[in-house]
Amino acid sequence: MNPQPAITSTAALISDPARAAMLMMLVDGRARPAGELAYTAGVSPQTASSHLTKLLEGGLLCVEKEGRHRYYRLAGPDVVSLLKHLALFGPGEPVRRKAPNREVEHLHFARCCYDHLAGRLGVEMTKAMLGRGYLEHGDGKAFAVTPDGAEWFAHLGLDIARITPGRHGIARKCLDWTAREHHLAGPLGTQFMAQACTLGWFQRPPSTRAIEVTPKGWRALKRYLGLDRRSIDQRSDAG
Amino acid sequence: MNPQPAITSTAALISDPARAAMLMMLVDGRARPAGELAYTAGVSPQTASSHLTKLLEGGLLCVEKEGRHRYYRLAGPDVVSLLKHLALFGPGEPVRRKAPNREVEHLHFARCCYDHLAGRLGVEMTKAMLGRGYLEHGDGKAFAVTPDGAEWFAHLGLDIARITPGRHGIARKCLDWTAREHHLAGPLGTQFMAQACTLGWFQRPPSTRAIEVTPKGWRALKRYLGLDRRSIDQRSDAG
DNA sequence: CAGATGCTTCGATCTTCATCGAAACATGCG
DNA sequence: CGCATGTTTCGATGAAGATCGAAGCATCTG
């Protein structure tokens, strides 16, 4: 009996949630490095490497090396077309493995990046501060703290006049590559993080970089920045 | 994190070789019963039933009951389109499980059906006999043996005048549902089968209904009916 | 040059799923 | 009504593949 044409092998490649996530990340036509694909797919670099090899061998991806980086992209417009065809096909939820590596969701949401707050929460906090006029865009890689901002931080126990500036001032912009937007870093970001822990808003479990927001923390975020869990989740889903 | 849209679940449904085979059988738009789909996919009825349930739940198939028969068809033109899209996508061979139940291939090719020869070989033999004028279509469910045919069978050691007719004469038509065509059955079919074994053309392994054609058998089929393995395989692939 | 970073390979472990024998259910026929 | 046929359900088994810790390789930076 003749074996099926490649429909089973192509379909099998796409059927894994991690591989599908990586493919869909690439639908916009841009190349992305392996580490980023691993991170977004929620798997370890080793797992991602194994999956990327399969996608390469199956003709769905191609790769370009640049130093130690490996940039992957979809192999051609026929792959884009196929993925869109599958995406447009009827409703449904994944029937295969459960979402891998649950800690990654925490890391996406809120994590510690060099002692400041990163992840979606970090980004949304930063946007709220900008929206309320506590921060504004400075030159280059810095935010500027406004007078209102200085007062707001003081209210939380942070005297910005006493913070030693770093190379980019006290409020450095750090590009969060999960949300692909900037969050507050630098000395102010670090001290804000520490103060939030002292105030009991955040907790840092010893074994991970994920940050836990306590109930008290949620109340504070609501009060001081108008942020709550649901609105942050909705913004990320719409994104 | 949002799970992928249905691309993983849809792709997973199509990625299994047995399910893919059943889907591709239905691409022509016709409905087919579960048993036939099982047979063509080379799996047992139980396995087929499990797969068909998944395809139903996944929205790729729909079903109509007619007595004890369950007729399945593709759920809509979007499924046809998707399958064709996948089929047209690049080359490749299945990467998942090895082809199941290798014996089924043998059964498709040549098997014993109530002590006569069925399967593709049975059908091709019957067609060759019709083509050469040894058999012709009789009334109802019977073939008629022509004078030339009588002589031919006699040459092989079968005296048709001494064969006790059954309800449909000595040469009953039996619908072969793998090839969907008739093959020679009835007392003549049975005695031909037995004689072919006696002559060393066919062998019947004890544990299976599959028939082995010996090298001597292939030479005889070539000589007496103009049949060889390659031409039979080509006819079935074109089908 | 040493240490850091990005990525790959190896090997062990665990989860998932396809498989079929046995049994049961529904329908049809003589 | 008994038997045959088509199909489904149940449960056990085995194979395949995804996973990651550990280690290694290649490249970059201070």
Side-chain angles (χ1 to χ4, degrees):
Chain A
M1 182 194 292
N2 246 0
Q4 294 303 315
I7 80 168
T8 57
S9 62
T10 302
L13 287 171
I14 300 169
S15 69
D16 181 84
R19 289 197 293 267
M22 293 191 277
L23 289 170
M24 294 307 283
M25 251 196 106
L26 298 170
V27 155
D28 66 1
R30 294 196 284 165
R32 283 180 168 82
E36 184 172 337
L37 294 170
Y39 197 85
T40 301
V43 294
S44 72
Q46 309 91 295
T47 301
S49 187
S50 170
H51 285 315
L52 289 167
T53 299
K54 286 173 176 165
L55 292 169
L56 275 172
E57 289 170 354
L60 291 163
L61 292 184
C62 55
V63 65
E64 280 179 77
K65 298 178 184 180
E66 208 171 300
R68 62 193 176 199
H69 292 280
R70 301 281 181 275
Y71 287 91
Y72 292 86
R73 70 176 76 241
L74 294 184
D78 55 340
V79 183
V80 178
S81 171
L82 178 59
L83 293 173
K84 288 183 171 177
H85 224 85
L86 275 162
L88 288 172
F89 184 79
E93 65 275 9
V95 297
R96 289 181 58 104
R97 298 174 181 278
K98 61 183 182 289
N101 208 332
R102 195 165 293 277
E103 181 192 325
V104 173
E105 292 187 36
H106 286 83
L107 289 171
H108 283 292
F109 183 74
R111 70 183 178 278
C112 196
C113 174
Y114 296 103
D115 289 321
H116 67 264
L117 184 66
R120 262 198 324 279
L121 180 60
V123 167
E124 294 302 325
M125 278 181 48
T126 306
K127 286 161 89 175
M129 291 172 184
L130 287 164
R132 289 171 173 237
Y134 305 149
L135 294 179
E136 61 190 16
H137 290 289
D139 47 341
K141 280 188 148 213
F143 292 111
V145 184
T146 64
D148 281 348
E151 188 178 336
W152 186 79
F153 281 112
H155 193 72
L156 298 182
L158 294 175
D159 183 358
I160 63 162
R162 296 180 49 181
I163 297 177
T164 307
R167 183 199 289 182
H168 300 291
I170 63 168
R172 184 170 62 86
K173 290 180 177 179
C174 181
L175 181 62
D176 190 291
W177 60 276
T178 50
R180 291 192 151 281
E181 285 174 281
H182 290 97
H183 62 256
L184 173 66
L188 179 58
T190 299
Q191 292 203 19
F192 177 85
M193 176 71 199
Q195 183 68 354
C197 290
T198 300
L199 291 169
W201 297 0
F202 298 160
Q203 275 181 339
R204 299 180 63 175
S207 58
T208 175
R209 288 197 294 136
I211 297 297
E212 293 286 333
V213 182
T214 64
K216 183 176 181 182
W218 282 116
R219 290 196 293 274
L221 289 172
K222 182 69 172 174
R223 181 179 172 192
Y224 291 111
L225 288 170
L227 293 176
D228 57 50
R229 177 120 204 186
R230 190 189 305 173
S231 63
I232 295 175
D233 284 345
Q234 277 174 341
R235 266 191 278 268
S236 83
D237 288 351
Chain B
M1 181 194 292
N2 244 1
Q4 294 303 315
I7 81 167
T8 57
S9 63
T10 303
L13 287 171
I14 300 169
S15 71
D16 181 83
R19 290 197 292 269
M22 292 191 277
L23 290 169
M24 295 307 284
M25 251 196 103
L26 298 170
V27 155
D28 67 358
R30 295 196 285 163
R32 283 179 167 83
E36 185 174 335
L37 293 170
Y39 198 84
T40 303
V43 293
S44 71
Q46 310 92 293
T47 301
S49 185
S50 170
H51 285 316
L52 288 166
T53 299
K54 286 174 177 165
L55 292 169
L56 275 172
E57 289 171 350
L60 290 164
L61 291 184
C62 56
V63 65
E64 280 177 80
K65 296 177 183 179
E66 208 170 299
R68 62 192 175 199
H69 292 280
R70 299 282 180 276
Y71 287 92
Y72 291 85
R73 70 176 75 240
L74 293 183
D78 54 341
V79 184
V80 179
S81 172
L82 178 60
L83 293 173
K84 288 183 170 175
H85 225 86
L86 275 161
L88 288 171
F89 184 79
E93 67 274 11
V95 296
R96 289 186 53 108
R97 296 172 185 278
K98 62 183 182 289
N101 210 333
R102 192 163 296 279
E103 181 193 323
V104 173
E105 293 188 37
H106 286 81
L107 289 171
H108 282 291
F109 183 75
R111 70 183 178 277
C112 196
C113 173
Y114 296 103
D115 290 319
H116 67 265
L117 184 66
R120 263 200 321 280
L121 180 60
V123 166
E124 294 302 326
M125 278 182 47
T126 306
K127 285 161 89 175
M129 290 174 186
L130 287 164
R132 289 173 173 232
Y134 305 149
L135 294 179
E136 60 191 17
H137 290 289
D139 48 343
K141 282 192 149 212
F143 293 111
V145 183
T146 64
D148 282 349
E151 191 177 332
W152 186 80
F153 282 111
H155 193 72
L156 298 182
L158 295 176
D159 184 355
I160 64 164
R162 297 180 49 179
I163 296 177
T164 307
R167 183 201 288 183
H168 299 292
I170 63 171
R172 184 169 63 84
K173 289 181 177 180
C174 181
L175 181 61
D176 192 292
W177 58 278
T178 50
R180 288 191 153 284
E181 285 174 284
H182 291 95
H183 62 255
L184 174 65
L188 179 57
T190 299
Q191 292 200 21
F192 177 83
M193 175 71 200
Q195 183 67 356
C197 290
T198 301
L199 291 169
W201 296 1
F202 297 159
Q203 275 181 339
R204 299 178 63 175
S207 58
T208 174
R209 289 199 292 137
I211 297 298
E212 294 286 335
V213 182
T214 64
K216 183 177 182 182
W218 281 116
R219 290 196 292 276
L221 290 172
K222 182 70 171 174
R223 178 180 174 191
Y224 291 112
L225 288 170
L227 293 176
D228 56 50
R229 179 124 202 181
R230 189 188 306 172
S231 63
I232 296 175
D233 283 346
Q234 276 173 341
R235 266 192 277 267
S236 85
D237 286 352

